[in-house]
């Protein structure tokens, strides 16, 4: 049952900007807020980490505002909220190691060598930069761009940028591992 909730949350989160875009003009924002309430509830049910409860509360607050004022802006702020939460998680892990990326790396390689710990710290810093940039762009598109630009950025371009970062990091990681294997 937990896996089903996690999968539902992932699908809804990824599709959220496009669902909101296609619903705008067809449904009042107060009805679209139900999707955001569902995301908040699924997030709260799938975690034991307080930071995600705060994120769920933030999503719930945005949904409440969309419902109360029948405005789309709170719905469009959700991607910026997600980036802010991810930034807090990654930045906090820099202050209180192990870093977020190191924790992920240890899932597949529990005994990381010292160079890998340094590398994962640097990757965590890069992700922090990504969340700042992506969150700022998500916020700017929500506040000042058309619905089409908001949906294009938050429903496609942000994912492409994330994919490029994942792919680039994978290539760099291979080179770093190879350099340390031979030297």
């Amino acid at each position: 049952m937990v896996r089903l909730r996690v999968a539902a949350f992932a699908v809804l989160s990824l599709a959220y900007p496009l669902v909101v875009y296609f619903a705008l003009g067809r449904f009042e924002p107060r009805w679209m807020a139900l999707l955001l309430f569902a995301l908040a509830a699924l997030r709260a049910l799938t975690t034991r980490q307080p930071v995600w409860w705060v994120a769920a509360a933030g999503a719930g607050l945005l949904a409440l505002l969309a419902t109360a004022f029948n405005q789309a802006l709170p719905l469009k702020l959700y991607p910026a909220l997600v980036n802010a939460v991810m930034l807090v998680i990654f930045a906090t892990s820099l202050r209180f190691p192990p870093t977020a990326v190191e924790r992920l790396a240890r899932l597949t390689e529990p005994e990381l060598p010292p160079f890998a710990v340094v590398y994962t710290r640097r990757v965590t810093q890069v992700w922090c930069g990504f969340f700042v940039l992506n969150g700022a762009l998500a916020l700017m598109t929500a506040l000042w761009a058309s619905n089409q630009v908001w949906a294009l950025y938050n429903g496609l371009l942000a994912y492409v940028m994330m994919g490029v970062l994942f792919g680039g990091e994978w290539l760099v990681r291979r080179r770093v591992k190879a350099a340390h294997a031979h030297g």
Side-chain angles (χ1 to χ4, degrees):
M1 188 63 164
V2 171
R3 286 184 185 204
L4 181 62
R5 286 192 301 246
V6 169
F9 176 78
V11 168
L12 280 174
S13 291
L14 291 172
Y16 179 84
L18 297 177
V19 170
V20 168
Y21 173 72
F22 287 117
L24 287 172
R26 291 177 180 80
F27 301 99
E28 289 185 354
R30 66 175 39 111
W31 294 111
M32 293 186 307
L34 292 173
L35 173 61
L36 199 47
F37 274 124
L39 280 170
L42 282 169
R43 172 46 76 192
L45 291 171
T46 60
T47 189
R48 292 196 165 119
Q49 298 173 333
V51 70
W52 288 114
W53 291 333
V54 172
L61 177 62
L62 290 175
L64 210 59
L65 291 170
T67 302
F69 297 108
N70 202 26
Q71 296 292 316
L73 179 60
L75 300 172
K76 292 168 59 176
L77 291 172
Y78 180 69
L81 172 68
V82 170
N83 278 278
V85 170
M86 295 302 293
L87 175 61
V88 166
I89 290 169
F90 277 61
T92 301
S93 78
L94 288 169
R95 179 82 168 104
F96 304 101
T99 64
V101 175
E102 180 183 341
R103 287 182 202 144
L104 291 172
R106 286 187 186 276
L107 292 175
T108 57
E109 195 174 333
E111 298 299 321
L112 284 179
F115 82 87
V117 173
V118 171
Y119 176 77
T120 57
R121 181 173 184 77
R122 178 65 61 190
V123 173
T124 301
Q125 292 168 338
V126 169
W127 276 103
C128 284
F130 173 82
F131 294 130
V132 168
L133 173 66
N134 194 48
L137 290 171
L139 180 62
M140 288 189 301
T141 60
L143 294 175
W144 298 302
S146 67
N147 291 337
Q148 293 86 354
V149 170
W150 175 83
L152 176 65
Y153 181 77
N154 292 285
L156 177 65
L157 298 178
Y159 296 133
V160 169
M161 289 172 33
M162 199 177 304
V164 168
L165 183 54
F166 271 119
E169 187 279 322
W170 181 79
L171 292 172
V172 170
R173 183 176 354 126
R174 291 186 64 190
R175 295 191 83 190
V176 168
K177 280 183 164 182
H180 283 275
H182 299 302

